[in-house]
Amino acid sequence: MASTTRDPWLDNTKMALVTLVVVGHSWGLLPDTHFSDWAYDFLYFWHIPAFVFISGYLSKSFEWTPRHFKGLLYVLVIPYLVFEPALYYYRVSLGEHEPGLLYLQPHWTMWYLPVLFFWRLMTPILKRHWLFLPAAVLVSLAGGLWTLDWFMLPRILGLLPFFVLGLHLKPRHLRHLDDPWVKVAAVGALVLIAALAYDTDEWARTAFLWYDAGYEDLHVQVATAAQTRLSVMAVGLIGAFSVMALIPRRQGWFTAMGAATMNVYLLHGFVIKTVRAQGFSQWSEGHPYAALLATTLGAVALALALASPWSRRWLSWVVNPLGTWEQHRSRSARTAPGPTTGAPTSAAPSPAPLPRAGSAPPLPDEPGATAPTPPVVGGGADDPGFPRAAPSGERRGPESTH
């Protein structure tokens, strides 16, 4: 069975964005200064939209089939059931506490798993017609009227347009990001976004960048809030495509790490909370610029370590135990020696091997598809692609709770 080559640009993009997830969360350790708040706002204008867009792009092959439901179970449901309480109670053991019902109201980094789960379930409908894209924009604008945060509903509705756009754009569309003039324009666009981010609170407020609260919670009139959200979405879309245009399309040492984004996503929060508990935040109060440099470099190193070959080999049992066990069992079955007999070796060619348990051919137009395997972390359409922003309780700026 022929394998399908992975797109290096997709893996490069996935790894770059999940590294920025770690960077953004690490900046939560820093004191509030105008420079660090500026950097934070600049990052959050576009990095969540880019992450959601790529998740949609990688989800377009999803259908209501047993194989894809199995992928949801292995890669989204089970990790959420395990890591939501694990990270929450680890934080409690360190003296932190965030209100909210476990599982029903996702805590800190875990919000992306249930949000992506519901988006994936809607995918077979959302990808049927391009009119679902403008409809998703209207849903996002109207979504701010609800304040119920079960399963992070505000983000399910608010970020939906970026996911639906990913479902409808095709590889031929994204190839234009490699045009020289697009790259030049991308640099200019990011400079303009940086200028906008310098005084975010003058026109938008940082809270609009998280898409995690209703207009009533933001204490802004509905018409003003909807207009601001539309503006923030437009800036986020331009920034997301500008950054993606600058990511290399060639394969390199960085590329293979794009298959381990779930390792990075699920585990980096434990390290950041450990660093906080060791008093880093207190030290950073007196050394704000050194702390910004240290947290940024440390976050990049942490992401690379969690996506390293060693991590992919050993931590997959933690991140995706059922998929790893199934893959291990299938590999053992293929390598086990068969019964020996005294019969002469046949000159006829060997029959084609049977598919591995749980495998299926890659679906047409499945971006980043690999050779068919049981669902494992970082594999093809069953990879969440990305996670993360800083939800309630991990905020910077005037809305910060700690």
Side-chain angles (χ1 to χ4, degrees):
M1 186 177 296
S3 64
T4 304
T5 304
R6 294 179 71 103
D7 183 347
W9 177 77
L10 279 174
D11 280 329
N12 291 341
T13 302
K14 288 166 58 182
M15 187 58 203
L17 292 178
V18 81
T19 299
L20 292 173
V21 163
V22 184
V23 170
H25 289 160
S26 298
W27 284 350
L29 301 172
L30 300 175
D32 285 330
T33 66
H34 189 75
F35 185 81
S36 62
D37 289 347
W38 175 32
Y40 183 92
D41 288 349
F42 171 71
L43 176 63
Y44 276 86
F45 260 116
W46 50 263
H47 114 273
I48 302 175
F51 209 100
V52 174
F53 168 79
I54 290 294
S55 294
Y57 188 77
L58 292 170
S59 299
K60 62 179 61 183
S61 62
F62 182 86
E63 297 288 351
W64 295 322
T65 65
R67 181 171 76 93
H68 286 102
F69 283 130
K70 182 180 181 181
L72 285 182
L73 174 67
Y74 280 24
V75 185
L76 295 178
V77 177
I78 292 178
Y80 184 64
L81 294 177
V82 172
F83 281 90
E84 160 75 350
L87 185 55
Y88 175 78
Y89 285 113
Y90 182 69
R91 295 172 63 196
V92 170
S93 72
L94 297 177
E96 297 186 22
H97 178 67
E98 183 178 334
L101 299 174
L102 203 64
Y103 292 125
L104 193 60
Q105 295 170 292
H107 293 85
W108 198 32
T109 60
M110 292 297 108
W111 71 269
Y112 203 76
L113 294 181
V115 168
L116 183 56
F117 174 82
F118 287 109
W119 283 339
R120 283 265 170 93
L121 288 181
M122 293 187 289
T123 289
I125 296 175
L126 295 174
K127 69 182 181 180
R128 286 183 179 178
H129 200 283
W130 67 267
L131 285 176
F132 281 107
L133 180 56
V137 175
L138 295 177
V139 167
S140 178
L141 297 179
L145 299 175
W146 282 272
T147 58
L148 182 69
D149 61 351
W150 287 3
F151 298 114
M152 206 52 74
L153 179 63
R155 279 175 166 155
I156 294 176
L157 303 177
L159 292 165
L160 184 63
F162 302 109
F163 185 83
V164 177
L165 181 61
L167 291 178
H168 287 277
L169 289 192
K170 301 186 182 302
R172 69 174 183 271
H173 300 134
L174 296 185
R175 277 195 290 270
H176 290 296
L177 295 177
D178 205 33
D179 293 345
W181 73 268
V182 174
K183 294 182 181 296
V184 173
V187 174
L190 290 175
V191 171
L192 291 176
I193 293 173
L196 280 174
Y198 191 76
D199 290 310
T200 302
D201 289 340
E202 295 295 325
W203 65 279
R205 294 175 55 194
T206 302
F208 278 96
L209 309 183
W210 302 317
Y211 297 86
D212 70 341
Y215 301 150
E216 181 180 340
D217 295 329
L218 297 176
H219 306 292
V220 180
Q221 292 183 352
V222 172
T224 302
Q227 181 180 357
T228 303
R229 170 167 287 190
L230 189 61
S231 300
V232 167
M233 281 196 293
V235 173
L237 184 64
I238 294 171
F241 279 98
S242 297
V243 170
M244 290 189 292
L246 299 177
I247 293 176
R249 289 186 173 270
R250 296 186 301 274
Q251 184 167 352
W253 65 270
F254 192 70
T255 306
M257 295 184 177
T261 54
M262 278 293 283
N263 286 30
V264 181
Y265 166 55
L266 291 174
L267 300 172
H268 76 276
F270 293 93
V271 178
I272 292 174
K273 290 305 177 183
T274 302
V275 172
R276 179 190 287 273
Q278 298 303 312
F280 182 86
S281 295
Q282 289 75 14
W283 175 83
S284 67
E285 291 282 349
H287 309 82
Y289 296 105
L292 176 62
L293 178 62
T295 53
T296 303
L297 295 178
V300 172
L302 174 61
L304 295 178
L306 291 176
S308 66
W310 179 90
S311 173
R312 295 199 301 273
R313 179 178 180 183
W314 297 107
L315 296 182
S316 62
W317 288 97
V318 178
V319 173
N320 184 9
L322 291 182
T324 304
W325 172 79
E326 187 172 327
Q327 185 184 41
H328 180 75
R329 186 185 64 174
S330 299
R331 186 183 299 115
S332 300
R334 291 195 305 273
T335 58
T340 57
T341 64
T345 303
S346 172
S350 301
L354 294 175
R356 285 176 278 179
S359 67
L363 298 175
D365 299 323
E366 179 174 343
T370 60
T373 60
V376 295
V377 62
D382 291 324
D383 184 356
F386 309 90
R388 225 2 259 157
S392 309
E394 290 301 321
R395 299 170 172 171
R396 297 182 53 79
E399 278 74 27
S400 180
T401 57
H402 59 279

